[in-house]
Amino acid sequence: MAASMSLPKPFIPFDDPNAELETVGGKGANLVKLSIGGFEVPNGFLIPTSVYQAFVRSNGVDTVISQILEESGDESDPQALENSSSRIRSAFASRSIDEDLSSSLDVALRWLGSRPVAVRSSATAEDLPDLSFAGQQDTYLNVVAPEAAA
């Protein structure tokens, strides 16, 4: 962590006791528990669900998802589900984060230092005591440029 720099809002450090499953997802909540519990956890930060929700709304992805799901047809057809999933992923990939968030992300990555980082996605319905959705989220290793994390 860069000593002279503080982590910008809206990001949440791994040692924040106020981070909850609903705001940081399953992996995030577990990293916070480990960090607070004294386990060695590499320095990092969490992007709260409110940022995801704002991105989806401001880019109209919520409308696109609703439309795709309405058009998807047979929910028992694996190929139809795969096609819908691909279209939804494309909708996310074709959008950009706003300039303020991009600037904050750049500062947050510099807050971590100059070493490569891992970027993990999480969900509020994973890593629960009685449910697991292992392998359904993305992981990017050795991210070195801020634009690669966006």
Side-chain angles (χ1 to χ4, degrees):
M1 163 176 28
S4 63
M5 184 183 299
S6 61
L7 184 64
K9 297 286 183 190
F11 307 116
I12 301 168
F14 283 170
D15 61 356
D16 185 337
N18 297 313
E20 300 285 332
L21 173 67
E22 297 78 21
T23 59
V24 297
K27 283 184 193 77
N30 286 331
L31 285 167
V32 168
K33 286 180 186 176
L34 289 169
S35 181
I36 290 172
F39 290 88
E40 286 191 43
V41 177
N43 192 33
F45 61 87
L46 306 162
I47 302 174
T49 56
S50 59
V51 172
Y52 167 82
Q53 293 162 346
F55 172 86
V56 167
R57 275 192 311 273
S58 68
N59 283 285
V61 177
D62 52 348
T63 304
V64 172
I65 291 171
S66 294
Q67 181 181 359
I68 290 170
L69 293 177
E70 285 177 21
E71 298 169 355
S72 65
D74 186 0
E75 293 177 3
S76 65
D77 177 7
Q79 188 58 51
L81 293 173
E82 187 64 37
N83 291 341
S84 295
S85 176
S86 178
R87 290 176 60 201
I88 291 169
R89 184 177 284 270
S90 293
F92 277 94
S94 67
R95 297 336 194 254
S96 298
I97 61 174
D98 66 52
E99 187 61 38
D100 288 342
L101 182 58
S102 181
S103 295
S104 292
L105 183 57
D106 183 44
V107 171
L109 289 170
R110 283 187 279 128
W111 175 79
L112 290 175
S114 59
R115 67 187 192 280
V117 299
V119 178
R120 304 275 324 248
S121 58
S122 187
T124 57
E126 70 173 352
D127 297 339
L128 300 175
D130 55 348
L131 290 173
S132 176
F133 298 92
Q136 293 187 3
Q137 306 297 327
D138 289 335
T139 298
Y140 301 92
L141 302 175
N142 297 313
V143 174
V144 293
E147 53 277 352

